[in-house]
Amino acid sequence: MRIYTDELMTAQILFEFIGYAASILIAISLMMKSLIRLRVLNGIGALVFVVYGILIKAYPVAVLNGLIVVIDIYYLVNMMHRKDYFSLMEVTPNSRYLQFFLNFHLEDIRNFFPSFSYQPCAADLIFFVLRDTIPAGLVIIQQDEQTGKVLLDYALNDYRDFKIGAFIFDDNADLLQQRGIDRLTAKAEVPFHAKYLRRMGFVPDQNGDYQKELLSHFIQD
């Protein structure tokens, strides 16, 4: 009888641990800024709750969370197969909207570019990346003959899925080459940005900067 009781208590502790783990996963998912990460963690947490509900024979809990798993999978599939329409909107260095955008997002920009401070120069190339006609990012390139120094490559929080970078640096490489730029350089002040640059095909050099040779692609409208 004692052995049976001990086994029952051990099982109960295990079940409680599973329940707490599921709750923690759900709570963490709600703190995610990325919708994809939110759905993934929420779905995993709900799946653990399904196991928890079955183990303690709380079948309504298992059924409800099973539905949540299905819903999360549905939205994840839609996100992965969503077709976005990207376009570039070039503006002048003295654009009032550019200044408004930079001032409004400056605090977040400095999370990735801590020393960023922009002084307009007539030769700079400045592109807003529009995603389904919505401003989703901003790229500022300072041209020095055939080299383009990337002063800013910023994406709004909801659009940090690497698609914007690929659109400007790969899909529209010809656009930059038409302006006489064959090579891009960039600096990484934070680890996340360094990881991003590598993902975009930039290679670190001996000075700690990042370089990318542009390859020709069909220009996207």
Side-chain angles (χ1 to χ4, degrees):
M1 189 66 167
R2 172 61 179 262
I3 295 177
Y4 175 77
T5 303
D6 290 344
E7 290 178 349
L8 187 62
M9 289 182 63
T10 300
Q12 184 177 357
I13 292 173
L14 176 61
F15 297 162
E16 289 181 357
F17 175 79
I18 293 173
Y20 284 126
S23 299
I24 291 172
L25 284 171
I26 295 292
I28 293 175
S29 74
L30 298 177
M31 294 187 288
M32 293 293 104
K33 294 181 179 180
S34 166
L35 290 178
I36 292 179
R37 291 180 182 176
L38 187 153
R39 289 292 180 183
V40 169
L41 283 177
N42 189 268
I44 294 174
L47 184 60
V48 176
F49 260 129
V50 170
V51 175
Y52 173 73
I54 293 173
L55 290 174
I56 67 172
K57 298 183 179 180
Y59 298 115
V61 173
V63 172
L64 174 61
N65 283 277
L67 290 174
I68 293 175
V69 171
V70 172
I71 292 171
D72 283 329
I73 291 174
Y74 170 79
Y75 279 105
L76 280 170
V77 170
N78 283 344
M79 289 177 186
M80 299 304 294
H81 290 85
R82 183 178 65 184
K83 298 295 183 180
D84 295 306
Y85 176 77
F86 288 95
S87 59
L88 294 178
M89 181 177 70
E90 186 171 5
V91 299
T92 64
N94 293 316
S95 165
R96 293 179 62 185
Y97 180 71
L98 170 65
Q99 293 303 319
F100 175 80
F101 185 94
L102 290 174
N103 290 335
F104 187 86
H105 295 287
L106 185 59
E107 183 178 351
D108 190 42
I109 287 174
R110 286 183 172 165
N111 288 329
F112 308 96
F113 300 85
S115 61
F116 176 77
S117 178
Y118 181 60
Q119 298 297 324
C121 177
D124 290 346
L125 301 178
I126 304 172
F127 300 96
F128 279 99
V129 182
L130 307 182
R131 190 169 182 173
D132 298 330
T133 74
I134 299 173
L138 174 64
V139 177
I140 300 177
I141 298 175
Q142 184 181 74
Q143 186 170 0
D144 181 11
E145 296 183 349
Q146 294 180 306
T147 299
K149 181 180 179 181
V150 182
L151 301 181
L152 181 67
D153 175 17
Y154 172 72
L156 272 67
N157 182 65
D158 290 341
Y159 303 101
R160 290 172 190 162
D161 55 6
F162 302 105
K163 290 183 179 180
I164 289 178
F167 179 73
I168 182 68
F169 297 133
D170 291 329
D171 296 342
N172 279 280
D174 284 344
L175 178 61
L176 298 177
Q177 289 178 318
Q178 286 179 0
R179 306 297 178 91
I181 296 175
D182 293 327
R183 182 171 62 97
L184 295 172
T185 65
K187 290 183 179 294
E189 298 182 70
V190 296
F192 178 86
H193 190 222
K195 179 181 178 181
Y196 163 80
L197 288 173
R198 291 189 180 93
R199 180 79 175 266
M200 291 299 102
F202 285 77
V203 178
D205 62 18
Q206 59 185 3
N207 297 319
D209 295 335
Y210 286 79
Q211 314 280 339
K212 178 180 174 69
E213 300 294 331
L214 294 179
L215 301 175
S216 296
H217 289 274
F218 178 76
I219 299 176
Q220 304 290 324
D221 295 326

